[in-house]
Amino acid sequence: MFATAGLALLIFTGAQAAPVRALAYDEVVRCAGLTSAASELEGGESPEGRSLYDATLYWSLTAIQASQTAGRAPAAAEADQTRARIRAVRELTADDAEARAALQACRARTPRLG
């Protein structure tokens, strides 16, 4: 019974697994900023908007966890995310190709949340 439960847990967590390669703090904050900006620009009513909101939630929480691991003060970590979001809003509004590509990479790394 325990083996079956363990196998089911392994299969479930494997399906929900985060990316294999750990991302650096700056990369996580960049993804938090990009997904937050894209969500803000899209709005939350469409399926795309809801998907972006989920990605924003994931990356924001991941950034908080990464900041704690890196020993950053909570206020500094929050400021990092705010700066990343403002930068991303400017880039996405200007249809910056690198920002769009980075957003897609972040979204590809986002696990399915629902």
Side-chain angles (χ1 to χ4, degrees), residues 42-55:
E42 176 68 26
E45 299 303 314
S46 68
E48 178 72 4
R50 288 189 294 278
S51 176
L52 285 164
Y53 179 81
D54 287 349

Side-chain angles (χ1 to χ4, degrees), residues 2 12 21 28 33 52 72 74 78-79 81 86 92 96 99 104 108:
F2 288 112
F12 175 74
R21 182 180 76 86
V28 172
L52 285 164
R72 284 187 149 25
E78 187 175 328
Q81 283 193 58
I86 291 167
L92 295 174
D96 181 288
Q104 292 311 312

Side-chain angles (χ1 to χ4, degrees), residues 33-91:
L34 283 164
T35 55
S36 179
S39 177
E40 182 180 316
L41 293 169
E42 176 68 26
E45 299 303 314
S46 68
E48 178 72 4
R50 288 189 294 278
S51 176
L52 285 164
Y53 179 81
D54 287 349
T56 299
L57 179 61
Y58 170 77
W59 286 110
S60 294
L61 293 173
T62 302
I64 290 168
Q65 187 175 36
S67 72
Q68 291 169 341
T69 301
R72 284 187 149 25
E78 187 175 328
D80 290 342
Q81 283 193 58
T82 299
R83 280 190 297 277
R85 182 186 56 76
I86 291 167
R87 172 185 168 198
V89 165
R90 290 179 182 143
E91 292 170 338

